[in-house]
């Protein structure tokens, strides 16, 4: 399930909640942009006993787009074999997806800021969504969130 407008403060954001456990969620928030070539935003992961945040994930207009990756998953609502994955150019946000019987998509959201730095850290959560309407809603919400700065 996604919740548009669920960012921190007055900022627009998107929260993706696990259908099986609503305390497991991913939030895209605090979007800003320096120029027309990129959008910067924060990503927060939450689960019982875990809170992790990367303050500046960067989406470049020439980069592989998260929205396109999610659109492909939504279009394949009847399922696929194996795991599909996507990551930002800086590799600080990665998403992997699996399809399970019953029409559910498991999205594992992984944060790894400064992946080349010694002493870096990583965290991940998995959200389960229905392959049909919930994935379609997720695509629309993420597209609107990432595109808002370019309008």
């Amino acid at each position: 399930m996604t919740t548009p407008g669920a960012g921190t403060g007055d900022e627009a954001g998107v929260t993706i909640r696990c259908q099986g456990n609503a305390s497991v969620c991913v939030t895209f928030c605090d979007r800003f942009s320096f120029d027309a070539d990129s959008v910067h935003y924060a990503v927060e992961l939450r689960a019982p006993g875990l809170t992790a945040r990367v303050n500046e994930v960067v989406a470049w207009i020439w980069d592989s787009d998260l929205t396109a990756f999610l659109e492909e998953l939504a279009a394949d609502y009847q399922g696929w074999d194996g795991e599909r994955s996507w990551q930002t150019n800086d590799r600080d946000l990665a998403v992997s997806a699996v399809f399970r019987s019953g029409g559910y998509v498991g999205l594992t959201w992984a944060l790894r800021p400064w992946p080349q730095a010694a002493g870096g850290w990583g965290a991940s959560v998995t959200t389960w969504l229905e392959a049909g309407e919930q994935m379609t809603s997720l695509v629309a919400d993420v597209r609107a969130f990432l595109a808002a700065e370019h309008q």
Side-chain angles (χ1 to χ4, degrees):
M1 295 177 277
T2 62
T3 308
T8 57
D10 292 333
E11 295 294 314
V14 174
T15 297
I16 302 110
R17 294 193 183 282
C18 181
Q19 181 173 348
N21 182 350
S23 65
V24 176
C25 64
V26 178
T27 300
F28 290 74
C29 57
D30 298 338
R31 180 189 60 241
F32 65 96
S33 186
F34 293 120
D35 54 42
D37 293 333
S38 64
V39 173
H40 302 245
Y41 55 94
V43 178
E44 297 176 350
L45 305 179
R46 292 188 182 274
L50 172 72
T51 300
R53 178 180 168 114
V54 173
N55 286 323
E56 195 172 341
V57 173
V58 181
W60 298 97
I61 60 165
W62 45 263
D63 202 6
S64 174
D65 185 8
L66 174 59
T67 304
F69 173 71
L70 295 172
E71 283 175 340
E72 289 176 17
L73 298 178
D76 287 342
Y77 63 91
Q78 293 183 337
W80 64 86
D81 292 325
E83 182 179 276
R84 295 180 180 180
S85 60
W86 172 90
Q87 66 185 2
T88 60
N89 190 50
D90 296 332
R91 299 181 183 181
D92 47 2
L93 171 63
V95 183
S96 60
V98 295
F99 188 88
R100 293 283 157 78
S101 63
Y104 292 93
V105 177
L107 298 170
T108 299
W109 306 85
L111 296 178
R112 287 189 262 348
W114 319 289
Q116 305 304 320
W121 60 269
S124 66
V125 298
T126 300
T127 57
W128 289 92
L129 301 174
E130 291 176 358
E133 184 58 38
Q134 288 182 348
M135 283 299 297
T136 301
S137 177
L138 171 61
V139 170
D141 293 345
V142 170
R143 178 187 298 116
F145 175 79
L146 292 175
E149 285 294 313
H150 294 299
Q151 294 177 353

PDB file of all heavy atoms in Angstrom, residues 17-38:
ATOM      1  N   ARG A  17       3.953   0.807   2.443  1.00  0.00           N
ATOM      2  CA  ARG A  17       3.790  -0.054   3.615  1.00  0.00           C
ATOM      3  C   ARG A  17       3.603  -1.505   3.178  1.00  0.00           C
ATOM      4  O   ARG A  17       2.894  -1.786   2.216  1.00  0.00           O
ATOM      5  CB  ARG A  17       2.574   0.369   4.432  1.00  0.00           C
ATOM      6  CG  ARG A  17       2.739   1.721   5.054  1.00  0.00           C
ATOM      7  CD  ARG A  17       1.678   2.003   6.106  1.00  0.00           C
ATOM      8  NE  ARG A  17       1.831   3.338   6.619  1.00  0.00           N
ATOM      9  CZ  ARG A  17       2.745   3.711   7.511  1.00  0.00           C
ATOM     10  NH1 ARG A  17       3.576   2.828   7.992  1.00  0.00           N
ATOM     11  NH2 ARG A  17       2.827   4.962   7.915  1.00  0.00           N
ATOM     12  N   CYS A  18       4.224  -2.388   3.926  1.00  0.00           N
ATOM     13  CA  CYS A  18       4.075  -3.814   3.665  1.00  0.00           C
ATOM     14  C   CYS A  18       2.642  -4.227   3.946  1.00  0.00           C
ATOM     15  O   CYS A  18       2.087  -3.898   4.998  1.00  0.00           O
ATOM     16  CB  CYS A  18       5.039  -4.596   4.549  1.00  0.00           C
ATOM     17  SG  CYS A  18       4.973  -6.376   4.292  1.00  0.00           S
ATOM     18  N   GLN A  19       2.030  -4.949   3.029  1.00  0.00           N
ATOM     19  CA  GLN A  19       0.659  -5.381   3.201  1.00  0.00           C
ATOM     20  C   GLN A  19       0.519  -6.313   4.397  1.00  0.00           C
ATOM     21  O   GLN A  19      -0.457  -6.248   5.130  1.00  0.00           O
ATOM     22  CB  GLN A  19       0.148  -6.075   1.939  1.00  0.00           C
ATOM     23  CG  GLN A  19      -1.294  -6.510   2.087  1.00  0.00           C
ATOM     24  CD  GLN A  19      -1.875  -7.047   0.815  1.00  0.00           C
ATOM     25  OE1 GLN A  19      -1.306  -6.925  -0.249  1.00  0.00           O
ATOM     26  NE2 GLN A  19      -3.030  -7.654   0.920  1.00  0.00           N
ATOM     27  N   GLY A  20       1.506  -7.148   4.638  1.00  0.00           N
ATOM     28  CA  GLY A  20       1.434  -8.117   5.734  1.00  0.00           C
ATOM     29  C   GLY A  20       1.801  -7.550   7.096  1.00  0.00           C
ATOM     30  O   GLY A  20       1.438  -8.117   8.119  1.00  0.00           O
ATOM     31  N   ASN A  21       2.529  -6.425   7.140  1.00  0.00           N
ATOM     32  CA  ASN A  21       2.961  -5.830   8.402  1.00  0.00           C
ATOM     33  C   ASN A  21       3.147  -4.335   8.169  1.00  0.00           C
ATOM     34  O   ASN A  21       4.189  -3.898   7.685  1.00  0.00           O
ATOM     35  CB  ASN A  21       4.262  -6.477   8.883  1.00  0.00           C
ATOM     36  CG  ASN A  21       4.723  -5.931  10.219  1.00  0.00           C
ATOM     37  OD1 ASN A  21       4.202  -4.937  10.726  1.00  0.00           O
ATOM     38  ND2 ASN A  21       5.723  -6.587  10.788  1.00  0.00           N
ATOM     39  N   ALA A  22       2.152  -3.541   8.523  1.00  0.00           N
ATOM     40  CA  ALA A  22       2.166  -2.102   8.228  1.00  0.00           C
ATOM     41  C   ALA A  22       3.267  -1.347   8.967  1.00  0.00           C
ATOM     42  O   ALA A  22       3.556  -0.205   8.635  1.00  0.00           O
ATOM     43  CB  ALA A  22       0.810  -1.492   8.556  1.00  0.00           C
ATOM     44  N   SER A  23       3.909  -1.978   9.956  1.00  0.00           N
ATOM     45  CA  SER A  23       5.016  -1.298  10.639  1.00  0.00           C
ATOM     46  C   SER A  23       6.308  -1.363   9.823  1.00  0.00           C
ATOM     47  O   SER A  23       7.289  -0.702  10.153  1.00  0.00           O
ATOM     48  CB  SER A  23       5.241  -1.891  12.031  1.00  0.00           C
ATOM     49  OG  SER A  23       5.677  -3.234  11.939  1.00  0.00           O
ATOM     50  N   VAL A  24       6.312  -2.138   8.742  1.00  0.00           N
ATOM     51  CA  VAL A  24       7.452  -2.184   7.814  1.00  0.00           C
ATOM     52  C   VAL A  24       7.120  -1.252   6.655  1.00  0.00           C
ATOM     53  O   VAL A  24       6.126  -1.445   5.958  1.00  0.00           O
ATOM     54  CB  VAL A  24       7.691  -3.620   7.297  1.00  0.00           C
ATOM     55  CG1 VAL A  24       8.812  -3.636   6.263  1.00  0.00           C
ATOM     56  CG2 VAL A  24       7.993  -4.566   8.453  1.00  0.00           C
ATOM     57  N   CYS A  25       7.968  -0.217   6.481  1.00  0.00           N
ATOM     58  CA  CYS A  25       7.666   0.740   5.422  1.00  0.00           C
ATOM     59  C   CYS A  25       8.922   1.418   4.895  1.00  0.00           C
ATOM     60  O   CYS A  25       9.986   1.397   5.521  1.00  0.00           O
ATOM     61  CB  CYS A  25       6.662   1.791   5.903  1.00  0.00           C
ATOM     62  SG  CYS A  25       7.254   2.844   7.228  1.00  0.00           S
ATOM     63  N   VAL A  26       8.756   2.022   3.742  1.00  0.00           N
ATOM     64  CA  VAL A  26       9.785   2.814   3.071  1.00  0.00           C
ATOM     65  C   VAL A  26       9.151   4.163   2.763  1.00  0.00           C
ATOM     66  O   VAL A  26       8.034   4.213   2.243  1.00  0.00           O
ATOM     67  CB  VAL A  26      10.241   2.144   1.752  1.00  0.00           C
ATOM     68  CG1 VAL A  26      11.273   2.998   1.036  1.00  0.00           C
ATOM     69  CG2 VAL A  26      10.756   0.744   2.008  1.00  0.00           C
ATOM     70  N   THR A  27       9.867   5.244   3.071  1.00  0.00           N
ATOM     71  CA  THR A  27       9.343   6.577   2.791  1.00  0.00           C
ATOM     72  C   THR A  27      10.326   7.357   1.931  1.00  0.00           C
ATOM     73  O   THR A  27      11.516   7.405   2.234  1.00  0.00           O
ATOM     74  CB  THR A  27       9.076   7.357   4.100  1.00  0.00           C
ATOM     75  OG1 THR A  27       8.113   6.638   4.874  1.00  0.00           O
ATOM     76  CG2 THR A  27       8.545   8.750   3.812  1.00  0.00           C
ATOM     77  N   PHE A  28       9.810   7.934   0.851  1.00  0.00           N
ATOM     78  CA  PHE A  28      10.548   8.871   0.015  1.00  0.00           C
ATOM     79  C   PHE A  28      10.088  10.256   0.448  1.00  0.00           C
ATOM     80  O   PHE A  28       8.887  10.531   0.446  1.00  0.00           O
ATOM     81  CB  PHE A  28      10.213   8.674  -1.459  1.00  0.00           C
ATOM     82  CG  PHE A  28      10.735   7.393  -2.044  1.00  0.00           C
ATOM     83  CD1 PHE A  28      10.150   6.176  -1.746  1.00  0.00           C
ATOM     84  CD2 PHE A  28      11.822   7.409  -2.899  1.00  0.00           C
ATOM     85  CE1 PHE A  28      10.633   4.995  -2.279  1.00  0.00           C
ATOM     86  CE2 PHE A  28      12.315   6.238  -3.439  1.00  0.00           C
ATOM     87  CZ  PHE A  28      11.723   5.032  -3.127  1.00  0.00           C
ATOM     88  N   CYS A  29      11.010  11.150   0.812  1.00  0.00           N
ATOM     89  CA  CYS A  29      10.615  12.459   1.317  1.00  0.00           C
ATOM     90  C   CYS A  29      11.741  13.478   1.108  1.00  0.00           C
ATOM     91  O   CYS A  29      12.796  13.140   0.578  1.00  0.00           O
ATOM     92  CB  CYS A  29      10.250  12.380   2.800  1.00  0.00           C
ATOM     93  SG  CYS A  29      11.560  11.731   3.850  1.00  0.00           S
ATOM     94  N   ASP A  30      11.493  14.710   1.538  1.00  0.00           N
ATOM     95  CA  ASP A  30      12.492  15.782   1.538  1.00  0.00           C
ATOM     96  C   ASP A  30      13.179  15.959   0.190  1.00  0.00           C
ATOM     97  O   ASP A  30      14.400  16.040   0.092  1.00  0.00           O
ATOM     98  CB  ASP A  30      13.533  15.551   2.642  1.00  0.00           C
ATOM     99  CG  ASP A  30      12.915  15.554   4.022  1.00  0.00           C
ATOM    100  OD1 ASP A  30      11.816  16.128   4.174  1.00  0.00           O
ATOM    101  OD2 ASP A  30      13.510  14.982   4.953  1.00  0.00           O
ATOM    102  N   ARG A  31      12.364  16.036  -0.857  1.00  0.00           N
ATOM    103  CA  ARG A  31      12.867  16.178  -2.224  1.00  0.00           C
ATOM    104  C   ARG A  31      13.364  17.603  -2.455  1.00  0.00           C
ATOM    105  O   ARG A  31      12.766  18.570  -1.984  1.00  0.00           O
ATOM    106  CB  ARG A  31      11.722  15.851  -3.183  1.00  0.00           C
ATOM    107  CG  ARG A  31      12.076  15.941  -4.649  1.00  0.00           C
ATOM    108  CD  ARG A  31      10.834  15.810  -5.512  1.00  0.00           C
ATOM    109  NE  ARG A  31       9.892  16.862  -5.210  1.00  0.00           N
ATOM    110  CZ  ARG A  31       8.665  16.670  -4.742  1.00  0.00           C
ATOM    111  NH1 ARG A  31       8.211  15.465  -4.545  1.00  0.00           N
ATOM    112  NH2 ARG A  31       7.874  17.684  -4.488  1.00  0.00           N
ATOM    113  N   PHE A  32      14.479  17.729  -3.167  1.00  0.00           N
ATOM    114  CA  PHE A  32      14.966  19.043  -3.591  1.00  0.00           C
ATOM    115  C   PHE A  32      15.788  18.863  -4.850  1.00  0.00           C
ATOM    116  O   PHE A  32      16.130  17.752  -5.223  1.00  0.00           O
ATOM    117  CB  PHE A  32      15.781  19.730  -2.485  1.00  0.00           C
ATOM    118  CG  PHE A  32      17.067  19.032  -2.128  1.00  0.00           C
ATOM    119  CD1 PHE A  32      18.280  19.431  -2.688  1.00  0.00           C
ATOM    120  CD2 PHE A  32      17.074  17.989  -1.214  1.00  0.00           C
ATOM    121  CE1 PHE A  32      19.458  18.794  -2.358  1.00  0.00           C
ATOM    122  CE2 PHE A  32      18.258  17.348  -0.877  1.00  0.00           C
ATOM    123  CZ  PHE A  32      19.450  17.759  -1.439  1.00  0.00           C
ATOM    124  N   SER A  33      16.085  19.979  -5.521  1.00  0.00           N
ATOM    125  CA  SER A  33      16.836  19.914  -6.764  1.00  0.00           C
ATOM    126  C   SER A  33      17.735  21.129  -6.890  1.00  0.00           C
ATOM    127  O   SER A  33      17.344  22.238  -6.533  1.00  0.00           O
ATOM    128  CB  SER A  33      15.871  19.854  -7.952  1.00  0.00           C
ATOM    129  OG  SER A  33      16.576  19.657  -9.153  1.00  0.00           O
ATOM    130  N   PHE A  34      18.951  20.903  -7.370  1.00  0.00           N
ATOM    131  CA  PHE A  34      19.887  21.996  -7.621  1.00  0.00           C
ATOM    132  C   PHE A  34      19.776  22.509  -9.052  1.00  0.00           C
ATOM    133  O   PHE A  34      20.083  23.650  -9.336  1.00  0.00           O
ATOM    134  CB  PHE A  34      21.334  21.543  -7.386  1.00  0.00           C
ATOM    135  CG  PHE A  34      21.648  21.230  -5.967  1.00  0.00           C
ATOM    136  CD1 PHE A  34      22.071  19.968  -5.603  1.00  0.00           C
ATOM    137  CD2 PHE A  34      21.530  22.192  -4.975  1.00  0.00           C
ATOM    138  CE1 PHE A  34      22.383  19.666  -4.292  1.00  0.00           C
ATOM    139  CE2 PHE A  34      21.834  21.904  -3.659  1.00  0.00           C
ATOM    140  CZ  PHE A  34      22.255  20.638  -3.322  1.00  0.00           C
ATOM    141  N   ASP A  35      19.382  21.601  -9.959  1.00  0.00           N
ATOM    142  CA  ASP A  35      19.356  21.936 -11.378  1.00  0.00           C
ATOM    143  C   ASP A  35      18.355  21.040 -12.091  1.00  0.00           C
ATOM    144  O   ASP A  35      17.703  20.215 -11.465  1.00  0.00           O
ATOM    145  CB  ASP A  35      20.757  21.777 -11.987  1.00  0.00           C
ATOM    146  CG  ASP A  35      21.348  20.398 -11.734  1.00  0.00           C
ATOM    147  OD1 ASP A  35      20.610  19.388 -11.842  1.00  0.00           O
ATOM    148  OD2 ASP A  35      22.543  20.301 -11.422  1.00  0.00           O
ATOM    149  N   ALA A  36      18.244  21.195 -13.388  1.00  0.00           N
ATOM    150  CA  ALA A  36      17.277  20.410 -14.164  1.00  0.00           C
ATOM    151  C   ALA A  36      17.756  18.986 -14.452  1.00  0.00           C
ATOM    152  O   ALA A  36      16.997  18.187 -14.994  1.00  0.00           O
ATOM    153  CB  ALA A  36      16.983  21.127 -15.485  1.00  0.00           C
ATOM    154  N   ASP A  37      19.001  18.664 -14.078  1.00  0.00           N
ATOM    155  CA  ASP A  37      19.553  17.351 -14.390  1.00  0.00           C
ATOM    156  C   ASP A  37      19.334  16.292 -13.318  1.00  0.00           C
ATOM    157  O   ASP A  37      19.615  15.119 -13.539  1.00  0.00           O
ATOM    158  CB  ASP A  37      21.060  17.457 -14.645  1.00  0.00           C
ATOM    159  CG  ASP A  37      21.366  18.242 -15.903  1.00  0.00           C
ATOM    160  OD1 ASP A  37      20.519  18.253 -16.812  1.00  0.00           O
ATOM    161  OD2 ASP A  37      22.448  18.850 -15.969  1.00  0.00           O
ATOM    162  N   SER A  38      18.873  16.699 -12.136  1.00  0.00           N
ATOM    163  CA  SER A  38      18.764  15.728 -11.057  1.00  0.00           C
ATOM    164  C   SER A  38      17.693  16.117 -10.043  1.00  0.00           C
ATOM    165  O   SER A  38      17.299  17.277  -9.953  1.00  0.00           O
ATOM    166  CB  SER A  38      20.103  15.587 -10.329  1.00  0.00           C
ATOM    167  OG  SER A  38      20.448  16.804  -9.693  1.00  0.00           O
TER     168      SER A  38
END
